[in-house]
């Protein structure tokens, strides 16, 4: 059966032509011809029909200020629409797979393999019971696109889906295309660049949109698919809870003073309102279905008992329900469930205290239907609803709190100083001893509500903790039960948070601990000191009691972004791999369950890349089944905006995690040959040295400022958080996101590959070219960690364009350019050569569709890059030129599908 009416080439061709039509109509025919000239000149050079980019340069140089803005808008709009065309092609691939065409990394194939390999039902149930996947949405980087633009694009995407999947008459087809034309015309006239920075509330709503409008509905479908897949090979294997969703939007305070307790409270309240309204709507829909006559179907004992309990709780409402739905017990029950949902945000008693209580009532209905032999009704209508409640509770997404450890230290020092304790002058051991005794003693040490005359930082931290207990009382412990500490370096940094939580009643040891305190290890010293930090904590009387109250589970977050910015791509990846293994082994020895939280970004240099490959490349020792990772920026939209793609993402995550867990069970300690480890221990330090030499070179920061659009990126209103930690311009102080974003704009994606060549060359020099290459090829073929690392570097190398980067390098002072740019290009060229040689491939990209995407995009990104470099080179820019410059940043981000 033919499932689709179109293909990606049709979509690209027709959408591209539509942009041209709208450009001509809304600007002028001359503007359209100018854009066509730029496009054709870029294509001619890429195809080899032109020897140089001289004609393209000349065309860009000849643009008037007004025409520059039109050109930037035209190419940006083109990329926004082409992204939708490629999204639609992904949907086609998923739907074709449903119709019998196998997809890579499918849960279906894995279950079939398990059955063929002799995995029995009990083993599969144990594997599934171990798995809990927790995608965690963060606000930074915020998408470059405005929410208004995103809304218009989503409407266009829906129209494309209609054209592709429905059998339309010619008249209907013309009507849909007319709507697409209207949306694109409206998009053309819409401001692309934000005039103000988004506030934390905006960022929280952005994250909430994906939870509310896509994932909430997708979850039920995904579980249905998983259960159907399992049932093909296994009987009576129940599919447990596999996913939870979490968020930092509205609660992450690291470097963001604008995230106040009021923002967090508003986020929690809004998320609960959405969840309650969703469940209320589902109850009404279910009531329309469960119209069974009580005289014909026996209502089970549990349902009768539940209705009797409701009669005691809400006698008036029960009487009304009986009058409205006589002899219809399911409808009566659902009316009472709606009543309890109504009271969640009400002063009246009787509300559901949490999602589990609501789920209990749904389970009563499910059990009664099962006893009545109505399995089809249960599976079609009740089970998907149960999965939604089990996943989202009354919270939609649980929030994690986060702040920098320096702020906690300052707050504790100032708060206890008022009690005569000189915490600031204590050494680490003294701080640990003091905090331990303070946590274990029954009476509080400080008055968090009335701390006296303290600094703004301390007041902010104490006010947050004072609110913490209230949030858990109001919204439930599950709504906000994790506190992450950025830049953790010492055990005291963890105990400080436990101490502050104890002072407000969130912790009351030995029996009560309502928070997971999570150290974020992101520097080389912190990663290498992980066993020391955790060992001290595990042996600490107070912290050991807290762990016991949290079921002996320790969450540890690994920072990919800052680790990469500090050490370079290869060294950072190896540090993370090795330290994960050490942390996992140590936790196992201490009989503590480890849950790793991977702080991954969207870009390769910040831990990005295909999630399924990242999960299967983790060391076996770390795969406990529970895993948590951040989802950021454009990656959220790419993965979760379209329901079909979102469901596919969940499938890939589950597929990867269950395979990784099975392998970890069979081989708890990964067998990595000594010669592989020795190779990495030569390559990683050499790469780190080369990388740090670059960053520490005199004049490099100036070169970075002059040869990238960092000054524009910092002023782009991309997010509510400041671009640097202190306002100073240094690589150390700059946040990883603008660091990566700036290089990506220039098409020299240095953070994703720089110093890999130096590291590999150091190893080849030590053991010899022939022996070394043989070992490296063996590592690539047989070691998932090394293969994934090189594959990710390949992607960054493939997206690097030295000729375009040279346009930006020319903006720097001659001396700086000659000192740095040739070195960067040499490292790129050698890295490219080595990666191809080790992988045995002819091309850097191993996926044909990705190569096609880059080939499709490159000629259109080139004019934007040349225009951006041209604008950056102007000493004085008018307001119109500044707006155009910012628009080029958005356009290149759309073309590269990445902000950082």
């Amino acid at each position: 059966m033919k499932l689709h009416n179109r293909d990606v080439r049709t979509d690209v061709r027709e959408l591209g032509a539509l942009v041209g039509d709208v450009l001509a109509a809304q600007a002028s025919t001359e503007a359209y011809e100018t854009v066509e000239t730029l496009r054709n000149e870029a294509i001619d050079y890429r195809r080899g029909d032109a020897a140089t980019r001289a004609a393209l340069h000349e065309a860009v140089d000849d643009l008037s200020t007004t025409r520059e803005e039109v050109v930037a808008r035209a190419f940006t709009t083109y990329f926004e629409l082409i992204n939708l065309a490629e999204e639609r092609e992904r949907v086609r691939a998923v739907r074709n797979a449903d119709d019998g065409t196998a997809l890579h990394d499918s849960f279906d194939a894995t279950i079939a393999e398990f059955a063929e390999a002799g995995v029995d039902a009990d083993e599969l149930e144990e594997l599934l019971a171990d798995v809990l996947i927790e995608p965690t949405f963060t606000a930074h980087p915020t998408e470059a696109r405005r929410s208004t633009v995103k809304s218009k694009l989503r409407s266009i995407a829906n129209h494309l889906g209609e054209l592709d999947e429905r059998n339309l008459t010619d008249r209907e087809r013309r009507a849909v295309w007319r709507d697409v034309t209207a949306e694109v015309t409206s998009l053309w006239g819409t401001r692309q660049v934000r005039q103000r920075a988004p506030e934390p509330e905006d960022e929280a709503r952005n994250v909430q949109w994906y939870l509310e409008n896509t994932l909430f509905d997708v979850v039920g479908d995904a579980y249905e698919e998983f259960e159907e897949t399992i049932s093909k090979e296994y009987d009576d294997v129940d599919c447990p809870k596999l996913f939870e969703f979490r968020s930092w939007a509205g609660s992450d305070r690291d470097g963001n003073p604008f995230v106040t307790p009021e923002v967090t409270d508003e986020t929690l309240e809004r998320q609960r309102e959405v969840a309650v309204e969703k469940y209320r709507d589902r109850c009404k829909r279910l009531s329309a279905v469960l119209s069974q006559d009580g005289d014909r179907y026996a209502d089970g004992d549990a349902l009768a008992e539940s209705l009797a309990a409701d009669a005691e709780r809400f006698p008036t409402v029960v009487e009304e329900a009986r009058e409205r739905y006589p002899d219809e017990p399911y409808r009566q029950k659902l009316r009472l469930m709606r009543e309890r949902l109504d009271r969640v945000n009400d002063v009246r008693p009787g509300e559901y205290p949490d999602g589990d209580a609501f789920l209990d009532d749904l389970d009563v209905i499910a059990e009664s239907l099962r006893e009545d032999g109505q399995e089809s009704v249960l599976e079609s209508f009740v089970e998907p609803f149960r999965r939604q409640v089990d996943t989202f509770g009354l919270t939609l997404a649980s929030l994690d709190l986060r702040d920098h450890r320096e702020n906690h230290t300052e707050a504790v020092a100032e708060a206890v100083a008022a009690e005569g304790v000189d915490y600031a002058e204590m050494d680490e051991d003294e701080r640990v001893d003091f905090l331990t005794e303070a946590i274990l003693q029954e009476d509080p040490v400080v008055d968090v509500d009335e701390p006296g005359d303290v600094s703004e930082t301390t007041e902010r931290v104490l006010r947050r903790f004072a609110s913490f207990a209230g949030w858990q009382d109001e919204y439930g412990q599950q709504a906000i039960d994790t506190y992450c500490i950025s830049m953790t370096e010492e055990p005291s940094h963890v105990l400080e948070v436990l101490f502050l939580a104890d002072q407000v009643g969130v912790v009351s040891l030995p029996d009560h601990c309502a928070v997971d305190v999570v150290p974020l290890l992101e520097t080389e010293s912190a990663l290498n000191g992980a066993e020391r930090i955790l060992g001290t904590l595990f042996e600490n009387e107070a912290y050991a009691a807290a762990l016991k109250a949290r079921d002996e589970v320790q969450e540890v977050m690994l920072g990919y972004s800052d680790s990469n910015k500090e050490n370079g791509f290869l060294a950072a990846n190896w540090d993370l791999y090795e330290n994960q293994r050490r942390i996992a082994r140590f936790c196992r020895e201490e009989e503590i369950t480890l849950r790793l939280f991977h702080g991954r970004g969207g870009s390769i240099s910040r831990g990005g890349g295909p999630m399924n490959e990242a999960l299967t490349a983790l060391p076996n020792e770390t795969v406990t089944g529970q895993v948590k990772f951040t989802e950021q920026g454009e990656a959220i939209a790419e993965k979760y905006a379209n329901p079909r793609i979102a469901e596919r993402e969940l499938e890939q995550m589950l597929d990867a995690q269950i395979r990784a867990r099975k392998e970890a069970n069979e081989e708890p300690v990964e067998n990595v040959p000594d010669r592989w480890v020795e190779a990495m221990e030569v390559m990683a330090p050499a790469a780190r040295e080369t990388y740090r030499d670059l960053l520490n070179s005199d004049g490099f920061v100036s070169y970075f400022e002059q040869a990238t659009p960092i000054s524009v990126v910092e002023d782009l209103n991309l997010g509510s958080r400041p671009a640097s930690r202190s306002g100073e311009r240094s690589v150390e102080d700059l946040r990883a996101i603008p660091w990566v974003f700036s290089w990506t704009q220039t098409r020299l994606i240095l953070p994703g590959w720089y110093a890999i060549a130096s590291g590999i060359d150091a190893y080849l020099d030590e053991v010899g070219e022939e022996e070394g290459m043989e070992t490296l090829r063996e590592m690539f073929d047989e070691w998932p960690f090394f293969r994934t690392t090189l594959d990710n570097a390949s992607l960054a190398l493939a997206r690097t364009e030295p000729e375009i980067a040279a346009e930006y390098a020319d903006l720097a002072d001659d001396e700086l350019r000659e000192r740095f740019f040739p070195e960067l290009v040499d490292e790129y060229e050698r890295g490219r050569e080595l990666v191809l040689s080790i992988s045995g491939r002819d091309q850097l990209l191993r996926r044909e569709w990705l190569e096609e995407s880059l080939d499709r995009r490159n000629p259109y990104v080139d004019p934007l890059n040349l225009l951006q470099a041209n604008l950056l080179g102007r000493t004085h820019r008018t307001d119109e030129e500044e707006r155009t410059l910012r628009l080029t940043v958005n356009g290149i981000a759309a073309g590269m599908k990445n902000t950082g």
Side-chain angles (χ1 to χ4, degrees):
M1 181 178 70
K2 184 181 178 183
L3 294 177
H4 303 104
N5 305 314
R6 301 165 67 87
D7 57 31
V8 69
R9 291 178 177 82
T10 301
D11 286 338
V12 169
R13 183 180 65 253
E14 294 188 1
L15 288 171
L18 179 55
V19 172
D21 293 342
V22 170
L23 166 60
Q26 297 298 307
S28 67
T29 303
E30 292 77 12
Y32 166 76
E33 291 172 350
T34 298
V35 170
E36 280 295 285
T37 297
L38 292 169
R39 183 177 75 88
N40 288 321
E41 296 290 0
I43 290 173
D44 285 347
Y45 179 73
R46 287 278 179 176
R47 287 178 176 169
D49 295 334
T52 70
R53 283 195 172 95
L56 180 58
H57 266 287
E58 185 177 346
V60 170
D61 293 341
D62 288 344
L63 294 174
S64 66
T65 301
T66 300
R67 192 58 55 84
E68 285 174 339
E69 193 274 340
V70 172
V71 165
R73 181 175 294 277
F75 282 110
T76 299
T77 302
Y78 172 82
F79 284 126
E80 297 285 20
L81 298 180
I82 294 321
N83 288 344
L84 297 183
E86 292 187 352
E87 176 190 279
R88 173 104 306 259
E89 185 68 0
R90 290 181 67 193
V91 171
R92 290 185 190 104
V94 173
R95 295 188 77 231
N96 285 331
D98 287 344
D99 202 41
T101 305
L103 266 179
H104 178 61
D105 300 325
S106 74
F107 187 58
D108 202 324
T110 295
I111 292 298
E113 288 172 17
F114 281 5
E116 188 175 343
V119 175
D120 61 28
D122 289 341
E123 184 180 352
L124 179 60
E125 279 200 325
E126 287 178 13
L127 284 170
L128 290 167
D130 286 342
V131 169
L132 183 64
I133 301 167
E134 299 182 81
T136 303
F137 298 100
T138 74
H140 304 283
T142 304
E143 286 184 82
R145 289 174 294 207
R146 294 177 61 209
S147 59
T148 301
V149 171
K150 187 170 63 178
S151 176
K152 292 180 183 298
L153 292 170
R154 192 47 35 203
S155 176
I156 296 168
N158 292 337
H159 289 316
L160 288 177
E162 196 174 3
L163 290 168
D164 190 35
E165 296 180 14
R166 287 186 56 197
N167 289 324
L168 303 172
T169 66
D170 289 343
R171 181 180 177 184
E172 289 170 336
R173 193 176 299 109
R174 287 194 299 271
V176 173
W177 193 253
R178 183 189 62 226
D179 290 343
V180 173
T181 303
E183 287 283 13
V184 173
T185 302
S186 175
L187 179 64
W188 178 267
T190 300
R191 181 178 286 108
Q192 289 270 352
V193 179
R194 293 187 181 98
Q195 289 187 294
R196 65 169 180 86
E199 296 176 351
E201 294 92 337
D202 300 323
E203 295 168 333
R205 288 189 190 96
N206 179 58
V207 164
Q208 181 186 309
W209 188 92
Y210 296 98
L211 294 163
E212 177 183 355
N213 292 289
T214 305
L215 286 166
F216 191 87
D217 293 320
V218 160
V219 158
D221 295 336
Y223 275 106
E224 183 179 358
E225 182 70 27
F226 299 154
E227 289 175 329
E228 183 180 327
T229 297
I230 292 168
S231 67
K232 291 177 183 177
E233 303 288 349
Y234 296 90
D235 296 325
D236 300 323
V237 172
D238 293 327
C239 190
K241 179 177 180 177
L242 301 167
F243 295 93
E244 282 185 2
F245 296 95
R246 305 187 70 92
S247 176
W248 283 11
S251 59
D252 175 15
R253 284 140 171 85
D254 182 21
N256 194 342
F258 307 114
V259 181
T260 63
E262 289 77 15
V263 169
T264 303
D265 190 67
E266 181 184 326
T267 302
L268 287 164
E269 182 176 4
R270 189 172 56 250
Q271 290 187 171
R272 184 172 68 180
E273 287 174 353
V274 168
V276 167
E277 187 57 35
K278 286 281 189 183
Y279 297 147
R280 211 179 175 286
D281 181 61
R282 294 304 188 277
C283 282
K284 290 181 73 173
R285 292 190 205 173
L286 193 56
S287 183
V289 173
L290 300 184
S291 56
Q292 289 87 337
D293 186 342
D295 290 337
R296 294 183 60 203
Y297 294 95
D299 53 331
D301 291 341
L303 180 57
E305 290 175 6
S306 180
L307 284 168
D310 289 333
E312 292 185 16
R313 187 183 293 114
F314 309 114
T316 304
V317 182
V318 166
E319 187 61 33
E320 178 223 305
R322 288 170 177 167
E323 290 178 4
R324 185 172 181 181
Y325 305 114
D327 296 322
E328 293 178 329
Y330 293 119
R331 284 181 160 179
Q332 291 175 19
K333 180 61 188 174
L334 287 163
R335 170 64 186 89
L336 272 296
M337 291 168 68
R338 294 205 308 273
E339 180 68 25
R340 295 190 71 182
L341 287 170
D342 287 343
R343 298 189 180 206
V344 168
N345 294 313
D346 201 311
V347 295
R348 295 172 298 168
E351 77 281 0
Y352 284 114
D354 51 39
D356 289 341
F358 183 53
L359 188 61
D360 288 342
D361 273 353
L362 270 180
D363 285 341
V364 167
I365 291 176
E367 184 57 33
S368 179
L369 288 170
R370 189 175 288 109
E371 290 176 359
D372 286 345
Q374 300 185 57
E375 292 284 347
S376 62
V377 177
L378 171 64
E379 291 175 4
S380 293
F381 297 102
V382 180
E383 194 57 34
F385 192 2
R386 287 191 67 262
R387 293 298 189 181
Q388 290 171 327
V389 177
D390 196 25
T391 302
F392 298 101
L394 295 183
T395 63
L396 202 62
S398 301
L399 298 187
D400 289 4
L401 291 163
R402 183 175 76 133
D403 203 353
H404 196 286
R405 46 97 172 169
E406 289 179 351
N407 295 334
H408 307 132
T409 302
E410 181 178 334
V412 170
E414 286 198 34
V416 301
E419 306 299 326
V421 179
D422 192 358
Y423 184 83
E425 291 301 314
M426 293 180 184
D427 63 24
E428 174 62 18
D429 290 340
E430 291 170 333
R431 289 183 177 186
V432 168
D433 290 342
F434 166 75
L435 292 167
T436 303
E437 291 182 27
I439 293 165
L440 291 175
Q441 79 174 35
E442 190 169 334
D443 296 327
V445 176
V446 298
D447 185 345
V448 173
D449 293 315
E450 298 291 339
D453 186 20
V454 295
S455 67
E456 182 182 345
T457 295
T458 295
E459 190 274 335
R460 196 162 56 235
V461 170
L462 295 182
R463 199 158 72 89
R464 177 190 321 145
F465 275 91
S467 303
F468 196 176
W471 291 328
Q472 291 198 338
D473 288 342
E474 172 67 20
Y475 300 103
Q477 180 180 316
Q478 184 185 9
I480 185 163
D481 63 352
T482 299
Y483 200 115
C484 189
I485 308 159
S486 298
M487 291 291 175
T488 299
E489 296 282 344
E490 298 291 346
S492 65
H493 298 150
V494 177
L495 291 174
E496 284 164 357
V497 169
L498 193 65
F499 164 75
L500 291 168
D502 170 76
Q503 298 302 291
V504 298
V506 172
V507 172
S508 182
L509 299 176
D511 301 319
H512 178 69
C513 182
V515 60
D516 285 324
V517 185
V518 180
L520 169 47
L521 310 178
E522 43 198 330
T523 65
E524 183 184 6
S525 60
L527 287 166
N528 291 334
E531 290 173 78
R532 173 184 61 82
I533 295 169
L534 293 175
T536 300
L537 291 171
F538 293 168
E539 293 174 1
N540 181 273
E541 184 180 358
Y543 197 78
L547 273 178
K548 186 175 181 181
R550 301 295 289 176
D551 297 325
E552 306 286 8
V553 175
Q554 175 64 58
E555 184 172 308
V556 176
M557 185 174 184
L558 304 173
Y560 287 68
S561 300
D562 283 290
S563 178
N564 180 284
K565 188 162 69 71
E566 180 188 18
N567 300 291
F569 180 75
L570 185 63
N573 274 273
W574 179 241
D575 281 353
L576 287 163
Y577 181 87
E578 275 289 85
N579 282 295
Q580 285 179 66
R581 296 184 77 188
R582 282 197 284 266
I583 292 168
R585 286 195 294 263
F586 181 73
C587 286
R588 185 179 292 110
E589 290 168 3
E590 297 294 319
E591 298 183 339
I592 299 295
T593 299
L594 173 67
R595 178 170 58 236
L596 280 177
F597 183 5
H598 301 274
R600 306 170 79 245
S603 62
I604 294 299
S605 50
R606 297 183 55 242
M611 176 57 68
N612 53 315
E613 294 180 7
L615 291 173
T616 53
L618 293 173
N620 287 7
E621 295 93 323
T622 71
V623 184
T624 62
Q626 299 184 39
V627 67
K628 189 173 171 182
F629 46 84
T630 52
E631 299 277 33
Q632 306 181 7
E634 264 82 1
I636 296 177
E638 190 172 339
K639 293 180 180 181
Y640 302 111
N642 184 288
R644 285 279 187 173
I645 294 173
E647 187 175 345
R648 168 65 174 153
E649 287 289 334
L650 297 183
E651 180 196 10
Q652 285 187 297
M653 292 175 196
L654 174 59
D655 177 67
Q657 190 65 359
I658 193 173
R659 284 191 287 116
R661 181 59 182 157
K662 180 176 181 294
E663 185 176 333
N665 285 343
E666 294 170 351
E667 190 180 334
V669 178
E670 191 169 3
N671 181 24
V672 182
D674 290 343
R675 65 183 179 281
W676 296 0
V677 174
E678 290 164 2
M680 289 305 306
E681 289 181 345
V682 173
M683 290 187 287
R688 179 185 290 109
E689 183 179 359
T690 297
Y691 177 81
R692 287 184 175 172
D693 283 348
L694 175 69
L695 267 60
N696 295 327
S697 295
D698 183 41
F700 179 72
V701 172
S702 295
Y703 176 78
F704 172 64
E705 287 180 314
Q706 296 173 27
T708 77
I710 178 60
S711 59
V712 185
V713 167
E714 288 178 328
D715 194 37
L716 253 188
N717 292 330
L718 282 180
S720 66
R721 188 172 66 175
S724 65
R725 292 184 168 86
S726 68
E728 298 293 326
R729 177 56 59 78
S730 68
V731 173
E732 293 77 17
D733 184 69
L734 192 69
R735 293 191 181 280
I737 293 163
W739 163 254
V740 175
F741 193 6
S742 299
W743 287 113
T744 302
Q745 286 280 303
T746 71
R747 315 278 288 283
L748 188 75
I749 310 178
L750 173 154
W753 49 258
Y754 187 78
I756 278 187
S758 293
I760 294 173
D761 279 336
Y763 173 65
L764 296 178
D765 288 344
E766 180 167 304
V767 301
E769 182 91 15
E770 185 175 347
E771 179 184 341
M773 288 302 293
E774 183 180 345
T775 299
L776 292 172
R777 287 168 182 150
E778 179 185 281
M779 291 163 64
F780 183 85
D781 291 339
E782 300 178 24
W783 192 11
F785 159 75
F786 190 68
R787 181 170 58 253
T788 300
T789 300
L790 250 62
D791 279 343
N792 286 338
S794 294
L795 182 56
L797 286 163
R799 299 173 75 196
T800 293
E801 296 279 345
E803 285 188 34
I804 294 294
E807 305 287 342
Y808 293 85
D810 288 343
L811 300 173
D813 294 342
D814 290 345
E815 187 271 332
L816 292 176
R817 186 200 190 286
E818 292 309 310
R819 188 143 54 92
F820 291 110
F821 188 63
E823 179 183 340
L824 300 180
V825 173
D826 286 348
E827 189 72 24
Y828 160 80
E829 295 287 359
R830 180 62 174 152
R832 189 178 189 284
E833 176 189 336
L834 287 167
V835 167
L836 287 173
S837 179
I838 292 167
S839 66
R841 297 177 186 141
D842 296 327
Q843 301 291 331
L844 287 168
L845 296 175
R846 58 192 173 90
R847 292 184 175 89
E848 185 178 345
W849 65 265
L850 187 54
E851 188 171 351
E852 288 178 1
S853 177
L854 280 180
D855 288 345
R856 184 183 300 127
R857 291 164 182 277
N858 279 335
Y860 295 81
V861 185
D862 294 350
L864 278 178
N865 280 120
L866 297 189
L867 176 56
Q868 184 182 90
N870 192 313
L871 289 164
L872 286 170
R874 297 175 192 175
T875 307
H876 300 290
R877 288 186 291 270
T878 65
D879 290 344
E880 187 175 2
E881 288 171 332
E882 285 288 349
R883 287 195 300 272
T884 300
L885 179 56
R886 290 196 295 273
L887 183 54
T888 64
V889 174
N890 276 44
I892 294 168
M896 300 292 287
K897 299 181 76 171
N898 195 267
T899 52

